[in-house]
Amino acid sequence: MFALRALLSLLTLQAGFCATLQGRAVDFFNPTAGGGSMLDNAGSGGGEPLNVIISGLSSPDVLTDDGIVNFARAIGFSTECFGVHLGDPQSANLGDGDGWVNQTIELREDYGDADAGTCLESLVGGNHFRVYRQNGPTANSGALFLAVSQEENVSQGHTIAPDGYGIGRDRLVSSAIGKTSFGGVSYTTSAKNLTGLLAPGSNGINHGIATDGITTLLTVTIN
Ligand SMILES: *[C@@H]1O[C@H](CO)[C@@H](O)[C@H](O)[C@H]1NC(C)=O
Ligand SMILES: *[C@@H]1O[C@H](CO)[C@@H](O)[C@H](O)[C@H]1NC(C)=O
Ligand SMILES: *[C@@H]1O[C@H](CO)[C@@H](O)[C@H](O)[C@H]1NC(C)=O
């Protein structure tokens, strides 16, 4: 009886341990530790910095495809203009054992109209981000890594604005922090700046745009 109970509690402990490894008990795992990169592959020889991370400790419903779209709407973004992709998808290796994986989704600033606003963004430029999920077998944090950038308008050929990565990140973060809501879901979001994940400067960065090397960690809780 005692042995059985000991065995049972050992099994329970192990299940708890596995849940800790698999079940979003960390903010994120550093991609470079698993052979990945904090720069995505923009297909041009360079990459966009993964400058915002939505923590794996966020409410699990925020970290799903539908969940991130709803949160994005709460902070002024929407899915792309009627599903039309304006460029090739980019890919990232988050060091989670899945290798290079295409972006899950791309969201654009919606200019106050969640349906038609993104079409406006396509014409006038604005903020946008790509989403990559860290959920491979060796680093399953569930965290979302975002490549955020501010684009110039279409007359500028949709290039990234000067300092577009820093501006894009800071604009997204300032609209996210505090209390927001969309579609009947309300969020409380806190932010923390992390250094040491991305190198400051322009080495390897798409379009050679220098950055300050900061990645902002957001923890998003559904109230
Ligand atoms: C990524 O997207 C490109 C372009 O749509 C496609 O050709 C490629 O097969 C995709 N890669 C993966 C791993 O899904
Ligand atoms: C597009 O950008 C150019 C250069 O920054 C600017 O002169 C022009 O007014 C912008 N057009 C729109 C529609 O925002
Ligand atoms: C993070 O760094 C940016 C750029 O220096 C700054 O504007 C922002 O206020 C910082 N955010 C936090 C939460 O410290």
Side-chain angles (χ1 to χ4, degrees):
M1 192 59 204
F2 175 76
L4 182 63
R5 207 177 292 161
L7 183 65
L8 275 177
S9 69
L10 191 69
L11 285 175
T12 313
L13 260 180
Q14 264 196 338
F17 182 63
C18 291
T20 307
L21 278 183
Q22 298 286 318
R24 299 178 174 158
V26 293
D27 285 315
F28 64 93
F29 295 102
N30 185 345
T32 53
S37 175
M38 284 295 289
L39 297 180
D40 75 6
N41 179 355
S44 60
E48 297 188 344
L50 301 175
N51 49 7
V52 172
I53 298 173
I54 302 193
S55 169
L57 299 179
S58 299
S59 297
D61 283 352
V62 174
L63 301 172
T64 65
D65 286 0
D66 287 349
I68 184 60
V69 168
N70 198 74
F71 177 67
R73 287 184 163 169
I75 65 170
F77 290 81
S78 188
T79 44
E80 284 192 82
C81 178
F82 306 124
V84 177
H85 274 281
L86 296 156
D88 290 335
Q90 299 185 3
S91 60
N93 181 348
L94 299 180
D96 61 3
D98 277 349
W100 291 89
V101 173
N102 281 347
Q103 66 199 41
T104 301
I105 198 162
E106 181 166 351
L107 293 123
R108 291 177 175 273
E109 193 166 23
D110 73 11
Y111 287 94
D113 178 338
D115 293 320
T118 44
C119 299
L120 193 59
E121 195 275 353
S122 300
L123 293 174
V124 303
N127 211 359
H128 81 138
F129 66 90
R130 307 169 192 281
V131 180
Y132 303 97
R133 181 176 289 114
Q134 187 174 51
N135 64 348
T138 57
N140 186 4
S141 66
L144 303 178
F145 285 65
L146 313 186
V148 190
S149 56
Q150 172 79 26
E151 285 181 322
E152 296 196 302
N153 65 38
V154 80
S155 71
Q156 306 296 108
H158 261 295
T159 54
I160 309 296
D163 194 29
Y165 300 115
I167 294 169
R169 176 198 63 210
D170 291 344
R171 285 190 58 209
L172 181 145
V173 168
S174 49
S175 51
I177 50 182
K179 294 196 182 298
T180 52
S181 67
F182 188 89
V185 185
S186 29
Y187 305 95
T188 303
T189 302
S190 62
K192 187 172 153 192
N193 279 349
L194 307 175
T195 53
L197 289 168
L198 281 163
S202 61
N203 204 6
I205 309 276
N206 198 24
H207 305 301
I209 294 169
T211 78
D212 57 14
I214 291 172
T215 294
T216 305
L217 178 69
L218 296 179
T219 305
V220 185
T221 305
I222 292 177
N223 302 321

